[in-house]
Amino acid sequence: MKKDLKKAEELYNRLDILEAIDNYAELIIRKKFLESLIQYLKNNSNVEIFFLFRCLDFLDLTNMKLDFESAFLQIKKIYNK
């Protein structure tokens, strides 16, 4: 019983680390999207944004892609681009 408890605690600690890594990865993706938007507004090139959308498709991050697409369309509308 004590051995199983020890394994359970180890697993819990590993899952906690994985969650932190996932949160960090999401932050990096969001930062990359913001960077791509800024580049789009500076030079009218949507290449980076569409590349990011393809990556999100590949990673099966559909909800995040839909959110970013919506934000991108709003930015285009606001800045008449």
Side-chain angles (χ1 to χ4, degrees), residues 37 40-41 70-80:
L37 278 178
Y40 170 73
L41 292 172
S70 177
F72 178 57
L73 291 174
Q74 289 175 8
I75 291 294
K76 284 178 71 168
K77 188 175 181 179
I78 291 169
Y79 288 92
N80 295 319

Side-chain angles (χ1 to χ4, degrees), residues 7-74:
K7 284 183 182 179
E9 286 177 324
E10 287 176 21
L11 178 60
Y12 174 77
N13 289 332
R14 287 183 185 170
L15 290 174
D16 223 16
I17 290 170
L18 286 176
E19 186 176 315
I21 290 171
D22 286 348
N23 289 339
Y24 179 72
E26 185 176 334
L27 177 66
I28 295 300
I29 293 169
R30 290 183 183 282
K31 184 178 174 188
K32 181 63 180 167
F33 176 65
L34 182 58
E35 179 183 313
S36 298
L37 278 178
I38 291 169
Q39 288 303 312
Y40 170 73
L41 292 172
K42 283 183 174 180
N43 61 25
N44 288 332
S45 174
N46 57 16
V47 173
E48 284 189 43
I49 290 174
F50 286 119
F51 178 74
L52 180 61
F53 290 165
R54 286 193 306 276
C55 290
L56 293 173
D57 280 335
F58 177 77
L59 295 171
D60 200 26
L61 296 171
T62 307
N63 289 339
M64 184 180 279
K65 180 190 173 196
L66 292 173
D67 291 345
F68 288 171
E69 283 178 329
S70 177
F72 178 57
L73 291 174
Q74 289 175 8

